[in-house]
């Protein structure tokens, strides 16, 4: 029964601590005693009443998380410079952002870029469950569209040449040769330095995460779209996942 009100007790203790913080400097600690630590392991018994209390909520959550939202005939992995899961999620990011941009900006998105580190696990062959997407993308990242001049996109291409990290892209082709930028295409065309380009990414990267400082030269446009929600929607729209295995990142002479 005590465990049932553990959170309430912690909250009350926190409030009490806040109220007395101003006078803490004038007080002295007394009768400090070392208490025995309680190890949390399999030997710690469950509070049966608490377990009974949360069981209906657990059953409801399990039912929702175990619902099938799509299917894949192949393992979806994040390995390799053009991983099938990376390409898929980059394409979903592009498609969702492009749909939003057409409606709200009357513009088309030109490309998308996400980070491989944000993809936390893989999806095995078979049914794709809702919980699989939460495991792949446990973060609350938002889709952001960054408006950039073509001339400023050289920073993006130089970043890939320097790092040679397999951060997934969509509608981009980036080729490097021995650590130098060799060829860069957006939708199969050379970049026009005077043109405005709209690049879809995450708020984390738009703010310079993973050292992607080149985005600072652009104008960030928030969409309000959560990346995980977007992925869930597109998995549901595609009962059978079709992955693109085309080469988008080509690191020639990669060490």
């Amino acid at each position: 029964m005590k465990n049932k009100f553990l959170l309430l007790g912690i909250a009350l203790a926190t409030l009490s601590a806040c109220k007395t913080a101003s006078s803490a400097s004038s007080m002295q600690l007394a009768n400090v005693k070392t208490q025995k630590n309680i190890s949390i392991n399999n030997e710690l018994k469950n509070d049966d009443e608490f377990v009974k209390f949360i069981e209906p909520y657990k059953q409801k959550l399990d039912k929702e998380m175990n619902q099938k939202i799509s299917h894949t005939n192949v393992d979806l992995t994040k390995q390799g410079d053009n991983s099938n899961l990376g390409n898929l999620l980059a394409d979903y990011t592009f498609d969702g952002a492009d749909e939003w941009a057409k409606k709200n900006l009357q513009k088309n998105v030109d490309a998308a870029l996400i980070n491989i580190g944000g993809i936390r696990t893989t999806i095995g062959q078979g049914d794709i469950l809702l919980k699989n997407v939460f495991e792949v993308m446990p973060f609350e990242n938002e889709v952001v569209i960054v408006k950039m001049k073509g001339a400023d996109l050289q920073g993006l291409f130089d970043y890939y040449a320097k790092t040679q990290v397999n951060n997934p892209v969509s509608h981009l082709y980036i080729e490097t040769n021995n650590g130098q930028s060799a060829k860069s295409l957006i939708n199969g065309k050379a970049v026009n330095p005077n043109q405005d380009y709209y690049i879809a990414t995450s708020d984390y990267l738009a703010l310079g995460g993973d050292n992607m400082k080149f985005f600072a030269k652009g104008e960030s446009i928030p969409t309000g779209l959560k990346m995980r929600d977007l992925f869930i929607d597109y998995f549901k729209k595609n009962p059978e996942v079709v992955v693109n295995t085309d080469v988008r990142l080509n690191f020639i002479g990669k060490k």
Side-chain angles (χ1 to χ4, degrees):
M1 216 29 212
K2 292 180 180 179
N3 287 343
K4 195 171 181 179
F5 301 101
L6 178 60
L7 294 178
L8 178 59
I10 293 173
L12 290 174
T14 303
L15 289 174
S16 176
C18 292
K19 292 179 180 178
T20 58
S22 60
S23 59
S25 59
S26 63
M27 298 175 63
Q28 294 183 346
L29 295 175
N31 299 323
V32 177
K33 297 181 180 179
T34 302
Q35 301 296 324
K36 181 181 178 181
N37 290 328
I38 299 175
S39 178
I40 299 178
N41 53 38
N42 292 334
E43 296 178 0
L44 191 64
K45 295 182 179 180
N46 288 327
D47 185 319
D48 292 337
E49 192 167 346
F50 183 66
V51 171
K52 183 179 179 180
F53 176 77
I54 67 170
E55 184 61 24
Y57 303 100
K58 181 179 182 300
Q59 289 181 1
K60 181 179 179 181
L61 181 61
D62 288 345
K63 182 178 180 181
E64 182 176 358
M65 285 296 168
N66 287 314
Q67 65 173 295
K68 175 185 174 182
I69 59 174
S70 190
H71 185 272
T72 174
N73 285 320
V74 298
D75 291 335
L76 301 177
T77 74
K78 51 187 284 187
Q79 281 72 45
D81 291 335
N82 297 276
S83 64
N84 56 7
L85 182 57
N87 282 3
L88 181 70
L89 297 183
D91 287 344
Y92 285 173
T93 302
F94 176 91
D95 292 341
D98 189 49
E99 183 178 343
W100 184 91
K102 288 175 179 176
K103 180 179 178 181
N104 295 277
L105 303 176
Q106 289 72 53
K107 297 288 185 180
N108 295 320
V109 166
D110 296 288
L113 185 165
I114 61 177
N115 62 319
I116 196 68
I119 303 173
R120 305 307 288 183
T121 188
T122 60
I123 299 176
Q125 178 183 359
D127 289 344
I128 300 174
L129 309 180
L130 181 61
K131 68 178 181 181
N132 296 141
V133 186
F134 276 80
E135 292 165 351
V136 166
M137 179 62 62
F139 311 110
E140 293 295 325
N141 289 122
E142 179 183 337
V143 177
V144 170
I145 298 172
V146 184
K147 178 183 177 182
M148 300 186 71
K149 278 289 184 185
D152 293 330
L153 284 176
Q154 188 58 46
L156 183 158
F157 304 131
D158 290 342
Y159 173 87
Y160 275 88
K162 180 180 179 181
T163 64
Q164 298 190 46
V165 174
N166 59 332
N167 290 314
V169 297
S170 180
H171 292 249
L172 273 169
Y173 175 77
I174 301 172
E175 181 179 304
T176 69
N177 195 325
N178 294 314
Q180 300 294 320
S181 182
K183 188 176 183 180
S184 307
L185 303 174
I186 295 183
N187 285 317
K189 298 179 180 179
V191 176
N192 181 346
N194 299 314
Q195 181 177 331
D196 288 331
Y197 289 90
Y198 293 80
I199 312 298
T201 188
S202 69
D203 53 351
Y204 169 70
L205 297 181
L207 291 171
D210 280 5
N211 208 32
M212 294 192 185
K213 299 177 181 179
F214 52 84
F215 278 128
K217 292 186 176 182
E219 174 192 350
S220 292
I221 305 170
T223 66
L225 301 172
K226 295 295 185 182
M227 295 189 77
R228 184 175 58 228
D229 293 342
L230 184 64
F231 296 158
I232 291 171
D233 287 344
Y234 274 89
F235 275 121
K236 288 181 177 179
K237 290 177 182 178
N238 296 276
E240 190 66 50
V241 170
V242 178
V243 295
N244 290 314
T245 57
D246 56 311
V247 175
R248 305 174 185 190
L249 301 175
N250 187 12
F251 301 128
I252 300 172
K254 181 178 180 179
K255 296 180 181 180

